[in-house]
């Protein structure tokens, strides 16, 4: 790599049941960047009338899911009783803690016409002392998020702290989660404020310190190093990172610092001990080989 880039992670294509996602984390070379243990670039996907996303109820433990859309609409339902549509620019933060079940579907009113979906789905590993917290869900409309512009570069702070701004989204450990849109010929400096940071190229045309970053790549930066991110044409990137939370294990959609906790979650799901999602009658069954499941959870 270079003095300022430790890894360039290429995506693995995942079938999410009717559409594809590019999965960057976890990868063969790296499991976490700060507290981020899962990073999916959803779509862009186009669904004909009558079709859409149907990710049936499935469980999570010891993590938080974060949904952020560029295009489209999703309907979230969960076992603590939340029912919430998410639109572009908004944030759905769901803390699984000791255990939660949720579904993600295209709303019925969107299925009468051609529908699109494009966005980012991440999971954040909770610190040891918060892994078994009570589950909860919060929706933040786009107007809740700090936004600003500097020299042709537009910033939206999804979660955490950056450039003296703080997001209203409640977090459990220091982090940065930033959506950056660059007009042609502009640049910005990303300071090395966190121990672990990475830049994801949503579009083509990005450069880090003058070196091109191929589209759909996650560039993991050297700790403590500031970099200049620029573009020749209009471009977009996502910045994620923060302080490490320690080693984490992942199996299917279970994440924990303890392997025995994951084994317990497997048994709990198989034996029906998780709370159910109101208004849902389906669920994704536990599989011994989750990577073969064509309906990967979100």
């Amino acid at each position: 790599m270079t003095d300022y880039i430790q890894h360039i992670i290429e995506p693995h294509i995942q079938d999410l049941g009717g559409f594809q996602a590019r999965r960057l984390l976890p990868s063969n070379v790296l499991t976490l960047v700060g507290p981020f243990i899962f990073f999916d670039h959803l779509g862009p996907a186009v669904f004909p009338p009558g079709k859409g996303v149907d990710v049936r109820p499935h469980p999570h433990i010891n993590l938080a899911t974060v949904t952020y859309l560029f295009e489209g609409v999703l309907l979230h339902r969960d076992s603590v009783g939340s029912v919430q549509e998410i639109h572009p620019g908004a944030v759905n933060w769901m803390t699984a803690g000791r255990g939660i079940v949720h579904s993600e579907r295209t709303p019925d009113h969107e299925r009468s016409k051609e529908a699109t979906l494009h966005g980012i789905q991440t999971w954040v590993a909770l610190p040891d002392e918060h892994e078994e917290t009570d589950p909860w869900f919060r929706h933040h409309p786009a107007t809740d998020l700090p936004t600003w512009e500097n020299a042709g570069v537009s910033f939206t702070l999804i979660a955490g702290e950056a450039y003296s701004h703080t997001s209203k989204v409640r977090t459990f450990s220091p982090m940065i989660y930033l959506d950056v849109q660059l007009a042609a010929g502009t640049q910005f400096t990303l300071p090395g404020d966190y121990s672990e940071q990475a830049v994801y190229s949503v579009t083509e045309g990005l450069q880090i310190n003058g070196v091109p970053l191929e589209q759909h790549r996650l560039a993991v930066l050297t700790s403590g190093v500031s970099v200049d991110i620029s573009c020749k044409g209009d471009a977009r990137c996502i910045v994620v990172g923060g302080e490490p939370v320690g080693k984490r294990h992942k199996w299917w959609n279970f994440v924990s610092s303890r392997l025995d906790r994951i084994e317990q979650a497997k048994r709990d799901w198989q034996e029906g001990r998780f709370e159910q999602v109101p208004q849902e009658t389906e669920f994704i069954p536990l599989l011994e080989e989750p990577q073969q499941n064509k309906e990967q959870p979100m």
Side-chain angles (χ1 to χ4, degrees):
M1 292 293 97
T2 67
D3 291 341
Y4 47 89
I5 297 178
Q6 287 187 322
H7 305 285
I8 298 289
I9 298 176
E10 299 184 10
H12 293 281
I13 304 301
Q14 301 289 326
D15 186 346
L16 298 185
F19 71 104
Q20 291 185 332
R22 297 172 183 85
R23 184 157 300 166
L24 285 303
L25 291 175
S27 74
N28 292 333
V29 297
L30 201 63
T31 302
L32 297 104
V33 176
F36 289 86
I37 194 168
F38 181 95
F39 187 110
D40 264 11
H41 180 183
L42 309 175
V46 178
F47 301 96
K51 300 293 184 179
V53 176
D54 281 301
V55 179
R56 297 171 293 164
H58 55 277
H60 293 286
I61 62 163
N62 294 185
L63 58 81
T65 67
V66 190
T67 306
Y68 180 77
L69 298 182
F70 303 139
E71 298 177 84
V73 186
L74 281 175
L75 177 63
H76 166 98
R77 286 192 175 99
D78 63 41
S79 55
V80 298
S82 311
V83 180
Q84 178 65 58
E85 285 189 6
I86 181 171
H87 294 258
V91 173
N92 276 358
W93 178 291
M94 183 185 75
T95 297
R98 57 179 168 79
I100 200 168
V101 180
H102 78 130
S103 64
E104 301 283 354
R105 300 183 186 271
T106 300
D108 289 342
H109 63 80
E110 289 290 311
R111 294 176 188 255
S112 62
K113 59 183 185 297
E114 184 177 88
T116 61
L117 182 70
H118 188 201
I120 304 291
Q121 177 86 14
T122 58
W123 299 354
V124 174
L126 301 180
D128 293 3
E129 64 271 23
H130 295 295
E131 283 190 312
E132 299 297 328
T133 192
D134 289 340
W136 54 266
F137 172 86
R138 298 287 186 277
H139 173 77
H140 293 269
T143 52
D144 267 4
L145 305 184
T147 60
W148 66 97
E149 186 171 328
N150 185 19
V153 181
S154 299
F155 299 85
T156 299
L157 184 58
I158 300 167
E161 298 183 12
Y163 300 100
S164 301
H165 295 271
T166 302
S167 173
K168 291 182 180 180
V169 176
R170 179 187 170 190
T171 59
F172 290 86
S173 63
M175 71 171 61
I176 180 173
Y177 188 1
L178 196 62
D179 177 15
V180 187
Q181 298 183 69
L182 299 88
T186 62
Q187 72 171 40
F188 72 99
T189 298
L190 177 64
D193 289 342
Y194 294 91
S195 298
E196 299 177 1
Q197 296 188 135
V199 179
Y200 176 68
S201 49
V202 178
T203 67
E204 61 184 3
L206 288 163
Q207 298 181 340
I208 299 180
N209 286 353
V211 177
L213 178 62
E214 192 174 342
Q215 187 179 13
H216 302 149
R217 298 295 186 269
L218 187 70
V220 182
L221 304 178
T222 301
S223 181
V225 172
S226 297
V227 295
D228 293 328
I229 300 173
S230 59
C231 64
K232 293 183 179 179
D234 293 348
R236 189 173 202 165
C237 66
I238 294 287
V239 178
V240 294
E243 299 308 315
V245 293
K247 183 177 180 180
R248 288 296 182 272
H249 307 281
K250 178 183 177 295
W251 190 92
W252 192 34
N253 46 338
F254 299 138
V255 166
S256 183
S257 62
R258 299 151 291 157
L259 282 171
D260 63 334
R261 182 65 180 89
I262 290 178
E263 293 302 315
Q264 181 63 55
K266 291 181 189 180
R267 292 190 295 270
D268 289 344
W269 184 242
Q270 201 158 33
E271 297 170 12
R273 286 195 290 265
F274 277 85
E275 295 292 329
Q276 296 184 354
V277 179
Q279 304 179 55
E280 290 276 14
T281 58
E282 301 177 298
F283 65 93
I284 302 177
L286 185 78
L287 297 182
E288 291 305 316
E289 298 294 339
Q291 65 271 22
Q292 296 178 8
N293 187 358
K294 294 302 183 183
E295 187 181 358
Q296 292 288 333
M298 294 171 63

